[in-house]
Amino acid sequence: HKIVFATHNENKLKEVAALLSPLYHVVGLNDIGCHEDIPETENTLEGNAYLKSKYVYDHYGLDCFSDDTGLEVTALHGEPGVFSARYAGEGRNSDDNMAKLLRELHDKTDRSAQFRTVISLILKGEEHHFDGIVRGNIIEEKRGRAGFGYDPIFQPIGYAETFAELGSDVKNEISHRAIAVKKLIRFLHDHKA
Ligand code: ITT
């Protein structure tokens, strides 16, 4: 089965395609000729995930799903959360975002955080969502080269390495996104989609 994943983020696409393979062939927004940036104007992960899946449904009439993910840091009252992609400002990159986060946390003893993913699926015109959470800690300096985004500074509970050190195989077994995608797979299977 072919299924559309409403994302422009090639790293997310790679992770999700690996998780859904070989049952589903996942295609991203670029693959269906959608090059616009879908505005993420809501203030929750659920809201923004829905904006992305709804956009594809409205413009292309296709069943699809999206992923909105945030890093929620306890000592920062859940920030950057829904603003994770633009924490250091519009047009800044992941290094800038991580640098800002490490600055904000420099005097904090509680470095606990969680990644949370919300997947919004539109199937036969109806929306369903699935979430996934992984808890961990923000370390003091970046470590590792795999993954993307905040992976070099996030150390999941039970591991001595960051997501960027653990690599994609381990990350795809335990991550926020993997947990949400497993729920998605179960749902698709139960609905024979
Ligand atoms: P799409 O909206 O096109 O899917 P995006 O990159 O804008 O892609 P989000 O709105 O979900 O995605 O932004 C979340 C940001 O959080 C993203 O830019 C990354 O920097 C970070 N992020 C998301 N998933 C992550 C993960 O698994 N590990 C580390 N950082 C992650």
Side-chain angles (χ1 to χ4, degrees), residues 143-161:
R143 290 201 322 246
R145 309 184 64 86
F148 66 100
Y150 296 88
D151 282 345
I153 57 170
F154 183 84
Q155 185 173 304
I157 300 281
Y159 293 81
E161 300 89 2

Side-chain angles (χ1 to χ4, degrees), residues 39-44 48 68 80-93 96-97 100 150:
E40 296 185 36
T41 49
E42 293 289 340
N43 56 14
T44 61
N48 281 334
D68 209 52
V82 72
F83 303 111
S84 294
R86 46 209 147 108
Y87 190 42
E90 261 349 299
R92 299 303 199 86
N93 62 26
D96 301 323
N97 289 337
K100 170 158 185 191
Y150 296 88

Side-chain angles (χ1 to χ4, degrees), residues 67-86:
D67 159 320
D68 209 52
T69 296
L71 177 60
E72 301 173 335
V73 179
T74 313
L76 304 177
H77 314 286
E79 277 193 28
V82 72
F83 303 111
S84 294
R86 46 209 147 108

Side-chain angles (χ1 to χ4, degrees), residues 1 24 63 123-124 185-193:
H1 302 241
Y24 297 91
D63 288 341
L123 186 65
K124 301 185 183 114
I185 292 172
R186 156 98 0 154
F187 183 90
L188 291 171
H189 177 264
D190 289 349
H191 289 77
K192 304 199 181 350

Side-chain angles (χ1 to χ4, degrees), residues 5-9 12 15 29 37 40 45 52 67-71 81-82 84-86 94 97 115 117 148-151 163 171 175-177:
F5 178 20
T7 187
H8 286 301
N9 183 324
K12 281 187 183 179
E15 285 185 9
L29 288 177
D37 234 353
E40 296 185 36
L45 298 176
K52 292 186 268 191
D67 159 320
D68 209 52
T69 296
L71 177 60
V82 72
S84 294
R86 46 209 147 108
S94 291
N97 289 337
F115 271 118
T117 289
F148 66 100
Y150 296 88
D151 282 345
F163 267 158
K171 186 181 175 194
S175 79
H176 45 300
R177 182 164 297 108

